[in-house]
Amino acid sequence: MEGTLDHTMIRVSDLEESLDWYQTHLEYEEKDRYAGDGFTIVYLGPEDMHEDGAMLELTHNEGEEDLEVGDAWGHIAVRVPDGELEERYEQLMDEGVEDYRDPESCDYNYAFVTDPDGHEIEIVKRDVGALWSLDHTMIRVEDADESLGFWTRKFEYDHDGRWEADSFSNYFMKPEGAADEAMTVELTYNYDGRSYDMGDAWGHLCVRVDDLEEDWDQLMTREADDYRDPESNDNMYAFTTDPDGHEIELIERDLEADSLFPF
């Protein structure tokens, strides 16, 4: 199994406000939408998103307007060309986006803003992928060795980079041979032994697989958590969890179909 990361799902309290925010400030377009019984799902991404690029899924559940961000999920990161970090940050400030962590406070290496529900969005310098495309999703883990083993053994992911500091380490993981434009998952391990609160404002990471039943069976052989198997989801998708409880969806995706949803 070497599935590309398909999307990151976040929950939003006001769908129209969030759609306006991402479409205005990150220039995202709506890729697809599904309205179910009491909820709505919308996929977003840049207009010229790479076929192996990841989308952002906004999920709005009716009656859920008070979302807790928690700290088990860190942020999504979006790309701007090298040399344009300050310009793009100032553009967001001029548009009324909250000044959260400006480039100067981050030694001009990156910056952060937040969306209307408080999800943190890092701006990183990358000369690859479409403007504002998803570069990585950061999650916090309590045991680095266990989490690295999970992604390497269960999903056959490799290191795409690492950063080790005095008090924490970051590990970037993606499938071997994945396109440069593909999103990575960033594992952040803090050395102080803290534990984390999952909250409910973040939903899941999603891995795009070739054969849902076959790849699920392989995960079970590798002793992944049997959280929501394909049969319980009408064989349209499935969910496992990592050692810290972050949900990971598996889905087959026909990118040429009229709808991106398998249901």
Side-chain angles (χ1 to χ4, degrees), residues 125-152:
K125 298 181 287 186
R126 299 283 191 270
D127 285 328
V128 64
L131 176 65
W132 304 120
S133 59
L134 286 175
D135 183 77
H136 63 265
T137 295
M138 187 272 267
I139 59 177
R140 295 186 178 92
V141 302
E142 296 184 16
D143 186 319
D145 292 332
E146 186 177 18
S147 294
L148 288 167
F150 173 87
W151 285 99
T152 56

mmCIF file of all heavy atoms in Angstrom, residues 125-152:
data_model
loop_
_atom_site.group_PDB
_atom_site.id
_atom_site.type_symbol
_atom_site.label_atom_id
_atom_site.label_comp_id
_atom_site.label_asym_id
_atom_site.label_seq_id
_atom_site.Cartn_x
_atom_site.Cartn_y
_atom_site.Cartn_z
ATOM 1 N N LYS A 125 7.304 28.338 2.133
ATOM 2 C CA LYS A 125 7.925 28.690 0.852
ATOM 3 C C LYS A 125 8.253 27.414 0.082
ATOM 4 O O LYS A 125 9.063 26.608 0.531
ATOM 5 C CB LYS A 125 9.182 29.521 1.084
ATOM 6 C CG LYS A 125 8.926 30.836 1.782
ATOM 7 C CD LYS A 125 10.205 31.641 1.984
ATOM 8 C CE LYS A 125 11.085 31.051 3.054
ATOM 9 N NZ LYS A 125 12.256 31.907 3.367
ATOM 10 N N ARG A 126 7.611 27.229 -1.072
ATOM 11 C CA ARG A 126 7.842 26.055 -1.894
ATOM 12 C C ARG A 126 7.767 26.445 -3.372
ATOM 13 O O ARG A 126 6.785 27.060 -3.803
ATOM 14 C CB ARG A 126 6.790 24.982 -1.637
ATOM 15 C CG ARG A 126 6.750 24.450 -0.214
ATOM 16 C CD ARG A 126 7.876 23.481 0.081
ATOM 17 N NE ARG A 126 7.650 22.800 1.347
ATOM 18 C CZ ARG A 126 8.078 23.235 2.524
ATOM 19 N NH1 ARG A 126 8.779 24.367 2.607
ATOM 20 N NH2 ARG A 126 7.815 22.562 3.628
ATOM 21 N N ASP A 127 8.769 26.064 -4.123
ATOM 22 C CA ASP A 127 8.728 26.293 -5.568
ATOM 23 C C ASP A 127 8.201 25.051 -6.274
ATOM 24 O O ASP A 127 8.766 24.569 -7.256
ATOM 25 C CB ASP A 127 10.124 26.675 -6.088
ATOM 26 C CG ASP A 127 10.489 28.107 -5.713
ATOM 27 O OD1 ASP A 127 9.569 28.953 -5.639
ATOM 28 O OD2 ASP A 127 11.677 28.374 -5.475
ATOM 29 N N VAL A 128 7.120 24.511 -5.750
ATOM 30 C CA VAL A 128 6.464 23.346 -6.342
ATOM 31 C C VAL A 128 4.990 23.427 -5.998
ATOM 32 O O VAL A 128 4.612 23.936 -4.942
ATOM 33 C CB VAL A 128 7.076 22.021 -5.811
ATOM 34 C CG1 VAL A 128 6.847 21.878 -4.318
ATOM 35 C CG2 VAL A 128 6.539 20.819 -6.543
ATOM 36 N N GLY A 129 4.158 22.956 -6.909
ATOM 37 C CA GLY A 129 2.729 22.954 -6.639
ATOM 38 C C GLY A 129 2.084 24.301 -6.902
ATOM 39 O O GLY A 129 2.740 25.338 -7.014
ATOM 40 N N ALA A 130 0.764 24.292 -6.982
ATOM 41 C CA ALA A 130 0.007 25.508 -7.230
ATOM 42 C C ALA A 130 0.070 26.442 -6.024
ATOM 43 O O ALA A 130 0.277 26.005 -4.893
ATOM 44 C CB ALA A 130 -1.449 25.157 -7.538
ATOM 45 N N LEU A 131 -0.111 27.729 -6.292
ATOM 46 C CA LEU A 131 -0.182 28.711 -5.215
ATOM 47 C C LEU A 131 -1.267 28.316 -4.225
ATOM 48 O O LEU A 131 -2.381 27.983 -4.612
ATOM 49 C CB LEU A 131 -0.489 30.092 -5.808
ATOM 50 C CG LEU A 131 -0.686 31.243 -4.815
ATOM 51 C CD1 LEU A 131 0.602 31.540 -4.066
ATOM 52 C CD2 LEU A 131 -1.200 32.491 -5.529
ATOM 53 N N TRP A 132 -0.924 28.322 -2.950
ATOM 54 C CA TRP A 132 -1.796 28.005 -1.826
ATOM 55 C C TRP A 132 -2.155 26.512 -1.739
ATOM 56 O O TRP A 132 -2.997 26.126 -0.926
ATOM 57 C CB TRP A 132 -3.095 28.825 -1.846
ATOM 58 C CG TRP A 132 -2.931 30.308 -1.873
ATOM 59 C CD1 TRP A 132 -3.386 31.158 -2.837
ATOM 60 C CD2 TRP A 132 -2.306 31.162 -0.885
ATOM 61 N NE1 TRP A 132 -3.092 32.461 -2.531
ATOM 62 C CE2 TRP A 132 -2.422 32.491 -1.345
ATOM 63 C CE3 TRP A 132 -1.657 30.911 0.325
ATOM 64 C CZ2 TRP A 132 -1.923 33.568 -0.629
ATOM 65 C CZ3 TRP A 132 -1.152 31.994 1.033
ATOM 66 C CH2 TRP A 132 -1.291 33.297 0.560
ATOM 67 N N SER A 133 -1.547 25.657 -2.557
ATOM 68 C CA SER A 133 -1.856 24.231 -2.481
ATOM 69 C C SER A 133 -1.381 23.658 -1.153
ATOM 70 O O SER A 133 -0.457 24.176 -0.512
ATOM 71 C CB SER A 133 -1.215 23.471 -3.646
ATOM 72 O OG SER A 133 0.197 23.632 -3.651
ATOM 73 N N LEU A 134 -2.018 22.569 -0.729
ATOM 74 C CA LEU A 134 -1.689 21.964 0.568
ATOM 75 C C LEU A 134 -0.329 21.280 0.509
ATOM 76 O O LEU A 134 -0.097 20.406 -0.320
ATOM 77 C CB LEU A 134 -2.757 20.947 0.959
ATOM 78 C CG LEU A 134 -4.095 21.529 1.427
ATOM 79 C CD1 LEU A 134 -5.096 20.405 1.662
ATOM 80 C CD2 LEU A 134 -3.924 22.343 2.697
ATOM 81 N N ASP A 135 0.551 21.676 1.418
ATOM 82 C CA ASP A 135 1.900 21.116 1.480
ATOM 83 C C ASP A 135 1.989 19.990 2.501
ATOM 84 O O ASP A 135 2.571 18.952 2.239
ATOM 85 C CB ASP A 135 2.894 22.216 1.851
ATOM 86 C CG ASP A 135 4.324 21.715 1.861
ATOM 87 O OD1 ASP A 135 4.901 21.558 0.771
ATOM 88 O OD2 ASP A 135 4.859 21.458 2.962
ATOM 89 N N HIS A 136 1.439 20.198 3.683
ATOM 90 C CA HIS A 136 1.418 19.148 4.697
ATOM 91 C C HIS A 136 0.327 19.419 5.719
ATOM 92 O O HIS A 136 -0.214 20.525 5.790
ATOM 93 C CB HIS A 136 2.780 19.005 5.402
ATOM 94 C CG HIS A 136 3.231 20.206 6.168
ATOM 95 N ND1 HIS A 136 4.083 21.168 5.642
ATOM 96 C CD2 HIS A 136 2.966 20.611 7.445
ATOM 97 C CE1 HIS A 136 4.320 22.095 6.539
ATOM 98 N NE2 HIS A 136 3.653 21.786 7.644
ATOM 99 N N THR A 137 0.001 18.383 6.459
ATOM 100 C CA THR A 137 -0.871 18.499 7.625
ATOM 101 C C THR A 137 -0.087 18.025 8.830
ATOM 102 O O THR A 137 0.489 16.938 8.816
ATOM 103 C CB THR A 137 -2.148 17.652 7.461
ATOM 104 O OG1 THR A 137 -2.926 18.175 6.376
ATOM 105 C CG2 THR A 137 -2.983 17.693 8.739
ATOM 106 N N MET A 138 -0.039 18.849 9.873
ATOM 107 C CA MET A 138 0.738 18.507 11.060
ATOM 108 C C MET A 138 -0.169 17.936 12.133
ATOM 109 O O MET A 138 -1.241 18.489 12.441
ATOM 110 C CB MET A 138 1.469 19.733 11.606
ATOM 111 C CG MET A 138 2.450 19.404 12.750
ATOM 112 S SD MET A 138 1.722 19.403 14.399
ATOM 113 C CE MET A 138 2.059 21.105 14.905
ATOM 114 N N ILE A 139 0.252 16.802 12.720
ATOM 115 C CA ILE A 139 -0.419 16.219 13.874
ATOM 116 C C ILE A 139 0.620 16.020 14.974
ATOM 117 O O ILE A 139 1.792 15.795 14.698
ATOM 118 C CB ILE A 139 -1.111 14.889 13.534
ATOM 119 C CG1 ILE A 139 -0.104 13.856 13.005
ATOM 120 C CG2 ILE A 139 -2.224 15.113 12.524
ATOM 121 C CD1 ILE A 139 -0.721 12.493 12.712
ATOM 122 N N ARG A 140 0.181 16.120 16.223
ATOM 123 C CA ARG A 140 1.087 15.913 17.359
ATOM 124 C C ARG A 140 0.959 14.475 17.854
ATOM 125 O O ARG A 140 -0.153 13.939 17.931
ATOM 126 C CB ARG A 140 0.785 16.910 18.471
ATOM 127 C CG ARG A 140 1.054 18.354 18.047
ATOM 128 C CD ARG A 140 0.886 19.327 19.194
ATOM 129 N NE ARG A 140 1.207 20.682 18.755
ATOM 130 C CZ ARG A 140 0.307 21.545 18.285
ATOM 131 N NH1 ARG A 140 -0.976 21.192 18.221
ATOM 132 N NH2 ARG A 140 0.664 22.754 17.895
ATOM 133 N N VAL A 141 2.099 13.886 18.184
ATOM 134 C CA VAL A 141 2.128 12.488 18.601
ATOM 135 C C VAL A 141 2.843 12.373 19.939
ATOM 136 O O VAL A 141 3.734 13.158 20.261
ATOM 137 C CB VAL A 141 2.813 11.604 17.539
ATOM 138 C CG1 VAL A 141 2.085 11.729 16.198
ATOM 139 C CG2 VAL A 141 4.286 11.961 17.365
ATOM 140 N N GLU A 142 2.452 11.372 20.725
ATOM 141 C CA GLU A 142 3.007 11.203 22.068
ATOM 142 C C GLU A 142 4.206 10.258 22.110
ATOM 143 O O GLU A 142 4.958 10.265 23.087
ATOM 144 C CB GLU A 142 1.915 10.722 23.018
ATOM 145 C CG GLU A 142 0.803 11.742 23.190
ATOM 146 C CD GLU A 142 -0.247 11.332 24.211
ATOM 147 O OE1 GLU A 142 0.038 10.408 25.000
ATOM 148 O OE2 GLU A 142 -1.339 11.921 24.220
ATOM 149 N N ASP A 143 4.387 9.451 21.071
ATOM 150 C CA ASP A 143 5.513 8.525 21.009
ATOM 151 C C ASP A 143 6.019 8.521 19.571
ATOM 152 O O ASP A 143 5.381 7.952 18.683
ATOM 153 C CB ASP A 143 5.076 7.122 21.435
ATOM 154 C CG ASP A 143 6.233 6.137 21.538
ATOM 155 O OD1 ASP A 143 7.119 6.161 20.660
ATOM 156 O OD2 ASP A 143 6.241 5.324 22.483
ATOM 157 N N ALA A 144 7.159 9.174 19.333
ATOM 158 C CA ALA A 144 7.666 9.322 17.974
ATOM 159 C C ALA A 144 7.972 7.974 17.333
ATOM 160 O O ALA A 144 7.643 7.738 16.170
ATOM 161 C CB ALA A 144 8.913 10.208 17.969
ATOM 162 N N ASP A 145 8.612 7.080 18.067
ATOM 163 C CA ASP A 145 8.966 5.782 17.500
ATOM 164 C C ASP A 145 7.724 4.999 17.097
ATOM 165 O O ASP A 145 7.683 4.387 16.024
ATOM 166 C CB ASP A 145 9.786 4.970 18.509
ATOM 167 C CG ASP A 145 11.165 5.569 18.751
ATOM 168 O OD1 ASP A 145 11.687 6.225 17.839
ATOM 169 O OD2 ASP A 145 11.707 5.384 19.853
ATOM 170 N N GLU A 146 6.720 5.022 17.955
ATOM 171 C CA GLU A 146 5.494 4.288 17.654
ATOM 172 C C GLU A 146 4.788 4.877 16.434
ATOM 173 O O GLU A 146 4.312 4.146 15.555
ATOM 174 C CB GLU A 146 4.557 4.307 18.861
ATOM 175 C CG GLU A 146 3.322 3.442 18.685
ATOM 176 C CD GLU A 146 2.447 3.414 19.927
ATOM 177 O OE1 GLU A 146 2.597 4.311 20.797
ATOM 178 O OE2 GLU A 146 1.618 2.492 20.030
ATOM 179 N N SER A 147 4.727 6.202 16.345
ATOM 180 C CA SER A 147 4.045 6.849 15.218
ATOM 181 C C SER A 147 4.806 6.664 13.912
ATOM 182 O O SER A 147 4.207 6.428 12.859
ATOM 183 C CB SER A 147 3.846 8.332 15.514
ATOM 184 O OG SER A 147 2.957 8.504 16.605
ATOM 185 N N LEU A 148 6.141 6.770 13.974
ATOM 186 C CA LEU A 148 6.926 6.523 12.770
ATOM 187 C C LEU A 148 6.747 5.076 12.302
ATOM 188 O O LEU A 148 6.605 4.808 11.098
ATOM 189 C CB LEU A 148 8.402 6.809 13.036
ATOM 190 C CG LEU A 148 8.772 8.289 13.172
ATOM 191 C CD1 LEU A 148 10.175 8.433 13.750
ATOM 192 C CD2 LEU A 148 8.678 8.990 11.828
ATOM 193 N N GLY A 149 6.711 4.157 13.242
ATOM 194 C CA GLY A 149 6.488 2.764 12.889
ATOM 195 C C GLY A 149 5.125 2.537 12.276
ATOM 196 O O GLY A 149 4.971 1.742 11.340
ATOM 197 N N PHE A 150 4.129 3.240 12.793
ATOM 198 C CA PHE A 150 2.781 3.126 12.240
ATOM 199 C C PHE A 150 2.749 3.502 10.769
ATOM 200 O O PHE A 150 2.244 2.758 9.932
ATOM 201 C CB PHE A 150 1.824 4.014 13.041
ATOM 202 C CG PHE A 150 0.437 4.095 12.457
ATOM 203 C CD1 PHE A 150 -0.525 3.155 12.777
ATOM 204 C CD2 PHE A 150 0.097 5.126 11.582
ATOM 205 C CE1 PHE A 150 -1.802 3.228 12.236
ATOM 206 C CE2 PHE A 150 -1.177 5.213 11.034
ATOM 207 C CZ PHE A 150 -2.125 4.262 11.364
ATOM 208 N N TRP A 151 3.301 4.671 10.436
ATOM 209 C CA TRP A 151 3.230 5.142 9.050
ATOM 210 C C TRP A 151 4.128 4.336 8.115
ATOM 211 O O TRP A 151 3.792 4.136 6.948
ATOM 212 C CB TRP A 151 3.561 6.636 8.976
ATOM 213 C CG TRP A 151 2.427 7.471 9.461
ATOM 214 C CD1 TRP A 151 2.275 8.046 10.700
ATOM 215 C CD2 TRP A 151 1.238 7.797 8.744
ATOM 216 N NE1 TRP A 151 1.078 8.711 10.793
ATOM 217 C CE2 TRP A 151 0.423 8.582 9.605
ATOM 218 C CE3 TRP A 151 0.786 7.523 7.452
ATOM 219 C CZ2 TRP A 151 -0.818 9.075 9.215
ATOM 220 C CZ3 TRP A 151 -0.461 8.018 7.054
ATOM 221 C CH2 TRP A 151 -1.242 8.783 7.926
ATOM 222 N N THR A 152 5.252 3.859 8.614
ATOM 223 C CA THR A 152 6.137 3.073 7.746
ATOM 224 C C THR A 152 5.621 1.651 7.572
ATOM 225 O O THR A 152 5.635 1.109 6.461
ATOM 226 C CB THR A 152 7.571 3.054 8.293
ATOM 227 O OG1 THR A 152 7.569 2.552 9.642
ATOM 228 C CG2 THR A 152 8.182 4.446 8.276
#
